[in-house]
Amino acid sequence: MSSKILVIGAGGQIGTELVLSLRKLKGDQNVIASDLKDECPESLKNGPYVKLDVLDREMMRSYIISEGIDEVYLLAALLSATAEKNPDFAWKLNMEGLFTILDLAKEKHLKKIFWPSSIAVFGPSTPKVNTPQRTIMEPSTVYGISKQAGERWCEYYHNNFDVDVRSIRYPGLISYTSLPGGGTTDYAVDIFYQAQLGNSYSCFLSENTSLPMMYMEDAIRATIELMESDADKIKIRSAYNLAGISFTPAEIAAEIQKSKPDFQITYAPDFRQKIADSWPGSIDDSEANADWGWKEKYDLQGMVDIMLQNIDIFLLSEG
Ligand code: NAD
Ligand code: SER
């Protein structure tokens, strides 16, 4: 029998694509999308949807237990830029939901958990080039602190309570089916909408800020490959580094100009520059490759081509 899966925070940038991929693999009725929103997002109407607040611990517990959920993908969080504006709430949202789900797994109500970490676990003192899996980690953002603490707790629950929790340090994710949710890497999505509208783009990061990014299809495939791997292959129970594609705003603009020669970019760094400056420029993901065979498919050119072919400017008015 197929596992019954709950995706929490399914209406966001990752969830809207992850739910559809999981439904293709596991069957539409076996993957329940949930979010704070009253209405199911249009694209997720091919399967079940339930309104759930991850901060309502009792409601969450009773739903998961009564519905016989086996696996949870916990995506609800405040991302880096939004979190800096509301640190208390970011800490609450990013940590409390995780404990609710880890405790359910500790009590054997859940068999498996996916909880995403981020490149934000690294900080200004981390080596910036080809950042190793294990290195100095002194995050300087509330978001990064919450992700680092979350990683420690995931590993602790695995080691002490045999919880099967798996995680990836996602780079900045680039996609066209929904708008990003308030991160520092959002510029690499915003830029495509302005290019498609025939506008110039004012970038909130400086031209030579290199950050690790990844096309969403690769990120979803990594997530599912990690979750489908045999448990004994998963040697890291904090979170795996994933490399993706490292580029600067100037480099992505130059790639867009190959298709849209009139496109122009200007630079007006804001508070997000400091966040970006604290993160690595490139990542070493050799342990993900060695443990569960991870290999990315998209390079910068492939990602830019597919974004320009598919980006839909009407999303901007809906968002
Ligand atoms: P997002 O902001 O696009 O989506 C988050 C979703 O969670 C939203 O639909 C929101 O309505 C929902 N949500 C918020 N509070 C909730 C609550 N109390 N209960 C239930 N749902 C709630 O975020 P995303 O980009 O899809 O990211 C998902 C996860 O992946 C987050 O943990 C994020 O830190 C991590 N991540 C994302 C990226 C990226 O580039 N998108 C990179 C690294 C890590
Ligand atoms: N894309 C995310 C952010 O910028 C990284 O975790 O917040």
Side-chain angles (χ1 to χ4, degrees), residues 267-287:
Y267 302 95
D270 66 13
F271 73 101
R272 289 167 281 194
Q273 184 66 46
K274 191 173 160 204
I275 301 176
D277 286 342
S278 77
W279 290 352
S282 59
I283 300 281
D284 172 6
D285 63 3
S286 51
E287 298 215 26

Side-chain angles (χ1 to χ4, degrees), residues 179-200:
L179 298 172
T184 302
T185 56
D186 292 9
Y187 92 83
V189 179
D190 300 345
I191 195 170
F192 287 101
Y193 288 97
Q194 298 312 320
Q196 202 75 334
L197 285 162
N199 296 337
S200 65

Side-chain angles (χ1 to χ4, degrees), residues 212-230:
M213 305 275 188
M214 180 172 275
Y215 182 55
M216 187 63 84
E217 187 183 309
D218 268 346
I220 300 295
R221 186 168 55 80
T223 306
I224 291 178
E225 285 178 10
L226 174 69
M227 288 297 276
E228 292 296 301
S229 292
D230 292 340

Side-chain angles (χ1 to χ4, degrees), residues 183-192 194-195 199-211 213 247-254 256-257 263-274 276-277:
T184 302
T185 56
D186 292 9
Y187 92 83
V189 179
D190 300 345
I191 195 170
F192 287 101
Q194 298 312 320
N199 296 337
S200 65
Y201 179 63
S202 172
C203 184
F204 57 76
L205 298 183
S206 65
E207 79 180 289
N208 293 322
T209 307
S210 179
L211 287 173
M213 305 275 188
F247 56 79
T248 64
E251 286 165 344
I252 191 174
I256 291 172
Q257 282 160 347
F263 175 67
Q264 295 295 322
I265 185 168
T266 56
Y267 302 95
D270 66 13
F271 73 101
R272 289 167 281 194
Q273 184 66 46
K274 191 173 160 204
D277 286 342

Side-chain angles (χ1 to χ4, degrees), residues 42-280:
E42 201 51 44
S43 64
L44 301 182
K45 285 191 171 160
N46 66 339
Y49 176 81
V50 58
K51 179 184 174 180
L52 286 176
D53 180 353
V54 77
L55 290 176
D56 188 338
R57 185 176 166 93
E58 282 322 305
M59 189 206 275
M60 212 73 221
R61 286 183 61 85
S62 88
Y63 183 83
I64 286 172
I65 294 169
S66 65
E67 291 297 315
I69 302 293
D70 301 295
E71 293 180 25
V72 163
Y73 290 70
L74 173 53
L75 305 179
L78 281 199
L79 275 78
S80 59
T82 319
E84 283 310 295
K85 292 182 177 160
N86 198 349
D88 293 351
F89 181 69
W91 178 257
K92 182 177 171 69
L93 176 62
N94 295 7
M95 299 311 296
E96 284 184 15
L98 177 60
F99 279 116
T100 298
I101 300 306
L102 286 172
D103 284 337
L104 282 160
K106 174 185 166 186
E107 295 160 23
K108 307 296 171 205
H109 294 299
L110 289 170
K111 295 189 180 122
K112 224 192 275 185
I113 301 169
F114 178 79
W115 169 83
S117 186
S118 161
I119 51 165
V121 292
F122 300 115
S125 54
T126 300
K128 281 207 179 302
V129 180
N130 225 13
T131 301
Q133 176 71 39
R134 293 174 194 79
T135 183
I136 302 168
M137 291 165 82
E138 297 177 323
S140 54
T141 61
V142 64
Y143 177 68
I145 295 167
S146 73
K147 290 296 184 186
Q148 192 195 43
E151 285 193 10
R152 296 290 91 226
W153 280 112
C154 287
E155 191 183 89
Y156 184 88
Y157 270 68
H158 174 74
N159 289 344
N160 292 286
F161 310 123
D162 204 22
V163 167
D164 188 352
V165 56
R166 305 174 184 205
S167 180
I168 285 171
R169 293 172 182 154
Y170 288 133
L173 300 181
I174 299 171
S175 63
Y176 60 82
T177 57
S178 65
L179 298 172
T184 302
T185 56
D186 292 9
Y187 92 83
V189 179
D190 300 345
I191 195 170
F192 287 101
Y193 288 97
Q194 298 312 320
Q196 202 75 334
L197 285 162
N199 296 337
S200 65
Y201 179 63
S202 172
C203 184
F204 57 76
L205 298 183
S206 65
E207 79 180 289
N208 293 322
T209 307
S210 179
L211 287 173
M213 305 275 188
M214 180 172 275
Y215 182 55
M216 187 63 84
E217 187 183 309
D218 268 346
I220 300 295
R221 186 168 55 80
T223 306
I224 291 178
E225 285 178 10
L226 174 69
M227 288 297 276
E228 292 296 301
S229 292
D230 292 340
D232 60 357
K233 288 194 174 156
I234 312 303
K235 312 276 187 231
I236 294 173
R237 295 298 184 149
S238 50
Y240 278 95
N241 273 8
L242 273 204
I245 327 159
S246 285
F247 56 79
T248 64
E251 286 165 344
I252 191 174
E255 197 58 48
I256 291 172
Q257 282 160 347
K258 289 182 186 168
S259 304
K260 295 184 175 289
D262 294 337
F263 175 67
Q264 295 295 322
I265 185 168
T266 56
Y267 302 95
D270 66 13
F271 73 101
R272 289 167 281 194
Q273 184 66 46
K274 191 173 160 204
I275 301 176
D277 286 342
S278 77
W279 290 352

